[in-house]
């Protein structure tokens, strides 16, 4: 310990204390999350594997258009992959719950990687169009890395509701970040190198990330021996209504993306659409991190209707900005603010999915939620595109508002008429609570 130094200057005695003045500061909520052994390694692998999810569709479109000069073909191929994922992903998740993450995720990822490489080869060699559909459909075996990561947090933080809330918020912010950076990275790679570069880099990141993630066996949740005796998540009380809300919210995201692209194109700034959409994701990412640092009061059942209501209200801002100003800059600001309701709503909704999913089937339950979102995105994209083309891009911004209103209606109906909550301990460690009633 340094001792004080005494000296004199003129007629004054001076004492200099060299003792460090640093104060001990408690680590923040996100730093505390990563202090658990093995969490940093599986988080790094998870982020590496999740980033390509925002790259593959954009890369496939650029690659196919560059070789075949057909946006219709590119859109049909990617839509086929989306539909195949909606069908296959729940079965992959069920296998993960039954046999473990590492045993299923690695071979499923390698099969999906082969599908992506086959797509590159078919496009490059000028193979018949039907081979593109078959190759891209094979990528549907890609495991839901976000769901597997959330399952690990639920296992590690069992009994600690506050820490689990922070972990779920972190995962949602990671989703937003990856889907914000993924398309930008894909465009840069395909434009600066060659059209197939985005897909090839995405495959490398996906395989590397899954291998790193699966290698962390100490944090992997154990396989439940009661899987065959538990009810399927789709038939669990409360889950169908939550999936219907996910479907409606997916329509919000899908329609907003297509309509924003059309609006920017009509205004003569098509290249700015990516930046505008990135601002929406940035607002959601920031809100997700703040929401995770905040200690929520009351059960998620009570917070969820308020979150969906806030999201519905904020989705009117892009419609007002587009219709009243017609300015792309005003639309960007509106999307930034509107995006702030996305992450808290998704975090709370996925928390409810965790609470209502039968024990031992968490990966399947989370993947069903993602499948609902994907289905909604596909339908929302179609509705938004039709409205933007046959009516106007400005009118198209009414589709996200309508979809959000449907989500709010389903949520309020669920609150009023939902059956009693289960009384068993839930996978995330959150104590089951009765639903709200009028």
């Amino acid at each position: 310990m340094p001792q004080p130094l005494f000296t004199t200057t003129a007629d004054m005695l001076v004492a200099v204390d060299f003792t460090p003045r640093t104060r001990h500061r408690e680590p923040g909520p996100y730093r505390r999350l990563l202090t658990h052994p093995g969490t940093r390694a599986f988080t790094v692998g998870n982020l590496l594997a999740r980033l390509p999810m925002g790259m593959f569709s954009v890369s496939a479109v650029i690659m196919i258009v560059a070789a075949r000069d057909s946006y219709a073909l590119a859109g049909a191929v990617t839509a086929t992959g989306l539909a195949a994922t909606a069908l296959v992903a729940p079965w992959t998740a069920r296998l993960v719950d039954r046999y473990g993450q590492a045993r299923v995720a690695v071979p499923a990822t390698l099969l999906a990687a082969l599908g992506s490489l086959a797509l590159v080869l078919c496009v490059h060699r000028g193979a018949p169009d039907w081979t593109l559909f078959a190759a891209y459909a094979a990528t549907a075996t890609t495991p839901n890395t976000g769901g597997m990561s959330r399952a690990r947090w639920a296992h590690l933080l069992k009994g600690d509701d506050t820490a689990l809330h922070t972990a779920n918020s972190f995962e949602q912010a990671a989703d937003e970040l990856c889907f914000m950076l993924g398309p930008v990275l894909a465009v840069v790679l395909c434009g600066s190198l060659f059209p197939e570069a985005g897909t090839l880099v995405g495959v490398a990141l996906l395989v590397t990330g899954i291998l790193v993630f699966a290698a962390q066996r100490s944090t992997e949740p154990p396989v439940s021996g009661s899987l065959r005796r538990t009810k399927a998540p789709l038939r669990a009380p409360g889950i169908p209504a939550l999936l219907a809300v996910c479907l409606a919210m997916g329509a919000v995201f899908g329609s907003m993306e297509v309509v924003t692209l059309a609006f920017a194109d009509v205004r003569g700034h098509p290249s700015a659409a990516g930046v505008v959409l990135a601002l929406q994701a940035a607002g959601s990412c920031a809100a997700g991190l703040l929401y995770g640092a905040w200690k929520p009061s009351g059960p998620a059942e009570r917070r969820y209707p308020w979150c969906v209501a806030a999201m519905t209200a904020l989705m009117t801002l892009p419609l007002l900005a587009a219709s009243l100003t017609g300015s792309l800059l005003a639309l960007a600001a509106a999307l930034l603010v509107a995006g702030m309701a996305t992450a808290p709503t998704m975090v709370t909704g996925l928390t409810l999915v965790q609470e209502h999913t039968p024990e031992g089937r968490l990966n399947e339950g989370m993947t069903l939620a993602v499948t609902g979102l994907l289905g909604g995105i596909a339908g929302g994209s179609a509705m938004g595109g039709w409205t933007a083309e046959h009516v106007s891009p400005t009118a198209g911004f009414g589709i996200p508002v309508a979809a959000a209103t449907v989500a709010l209606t389903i949520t309020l109906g669920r609150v009023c008429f939902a059956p009693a909550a289960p009384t068993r301990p839930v996978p995330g460690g959150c104590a089951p609570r009765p639903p709200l009633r009028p």
Side-chain angles (χ1 to χ4, degrees):
M1 178 70 68
Q3 297 297 322
L5 174 65
F6 296 93
T7 186
T8 58
T9 171
D11 58 349
M12 184 180 297
L13 176 64
V14 179
V16 183
D17 188 359
F18 292 100
T19 304
R21 290 294 186 269
T22 57
R23 296 180 180 178
H24 176 69
R25 299 179 61 181
E26 291 293 329
Y30 294 104
R31 186 179 174 185
R32 286 198 297 270
L33 274 184
L34 299 178
T35 57
H36 294 270
T39 55
R40 296 187 181 185
F42 89 69
T43 298
V44 170
N46 172 41
L47 294 177
L48 286 176
R50 208 184 299 191
L51 181 59
M53 297 301 101
M55 297 175 59
F56 282 132
S57 294
V58 175
S59 299
V61 169
I62 295 175
M63 179 173 59
I64 294 172
V65 169
R68 306 292 174 93
D69 193 25
S70 174
Y71 277 99
L73 176 62
V77 169
T78 54
T80 299
L82 190 66
T85 300
L87 292 174
V88 175
W91 294 96
T92 304
R94 183 175 297 181
L95 292 176
V96 168
D97 285 328
R98 179 172 297 178
Y99 299 109
Q101 294 184 357
R103 291 182 63 186
V104 175
V106 173
T109 300
L110 294 178
L111 180 58
L114 289 176
S116 293
L117 295 177
L119 178 66
V120 171
L121 185 62
C122 291
V123 171
H124 186 71
R125 294 292 185 180
D129 290 349
W130 67 266
T131 62
L132 309 186
F133 290 91
Y136 204 66
T139 65
T141 60
T142 305
N144 178 16
T145 316
M148 292 192 298
S149 183
R150 287 178 172 91
R152 292 197 179 211
W153 288 120
H155 167 63
L156 293 173
L157 304 175
K158 190 174 183 179
D160 190 344
D161 293 359
T162 301
L164 185 58
H165 167 76
T166 302
N168 286 333
S169 300
F170 172 77
E171 292 297 327
Q172 187 60 40
D175 278 339
E176 300 293 345
L177 182 64
C178 291
F179 278 98
M180 178 175 63
L181 297 180
V184 176
L185 180 58
V187 171
V188 170
L189 290 171
C190 294
S192 60
L193 298 178
F194 47 90
E196 297 86 357
T199 301
L200 294 176
V201 172
V203 169
L205 289 173
L206 175 63
V207 173
T208 302
I210 287 294
L211 290 177
V212 173
F213 181 86
Q216 313 311 312
R217 303 301 292 269
S218 63
T219 58
E220 182 177 348
V223 177
S224 175
S226 60
L227 183 62
R228 295 181 183 272
R229 299 190 299 271
T230 56
K231 184 182 297 184
L234 192 58
R235 293 184 294 169
I239 289 291
L242 290 171
L243 297 183
V245 176
C246 288
L247 189 68
M249 287 198 294
V252 173
F253 306 145
S255 58
M256 185 68 78
E257 181 176 348
V258 172
V259 171
T260 301
L261 291 171
F263 185 84
D265 192 20
V266 168
R267 292 299 182 275
H269 302 285
S271 60
V275 177
V276 174
L277 289 171
L279 286 175
Q280 182 185 10
S284 180
C285 180
L289 292 175
L290 290 175
Y291 189 63
W294 171 66
K295 294 181 179 180
S297 58
E301 292 280 2
R302 295 184 181 275
R303 298 195 306 272
Y304 195 46
W306 291 102
C307 290
V308 179
M311 181 177 175
T312 304
L314 291 181
M315 282 300 154
T316 62
L317 296 180
L319 175 62
L320 294 175
S323 58
L324 298 180
T325 69
S327 167
L328 193 60
L329 186 62
L331 176 64
L335 285 174
L336 176 65
V337 177
M340 293 180 180
T342 301
T345 304
M346 291 298 301
V347 169
T348 309
L350 292 178
T351 299
L352 289 176
V353 171
Q354 290 185 26
E355 292 183 2
H356 287 79
T357 297
E359 186 175 0
R361 308 189 77 152
L362 185 55
N363 285 292
E364 185 179 352
M366 299 296 289
T367 302
L368 284 172
V370 173
T371 300
L373 287 171
L374 291 176
I377 290 172
S381 298
M383 289 187 292
W386 187 93
T387 305
E389 182 174 342
H390 292 87
V391 185
S392 71
T394 300
F397 284 105
I399 301 297
V401 178
T405 303
V406 171
L408 179 59
T409 302
I410 297 172
T411 302
L412 294 178
R414 176 182 174 276
V415 167
C416 295
F417 304 110
T423 57
R424 61 163 185 81
V426 296
C430 302
R433 302 173 176 91
L436 288 175
R437 297 190 180 277

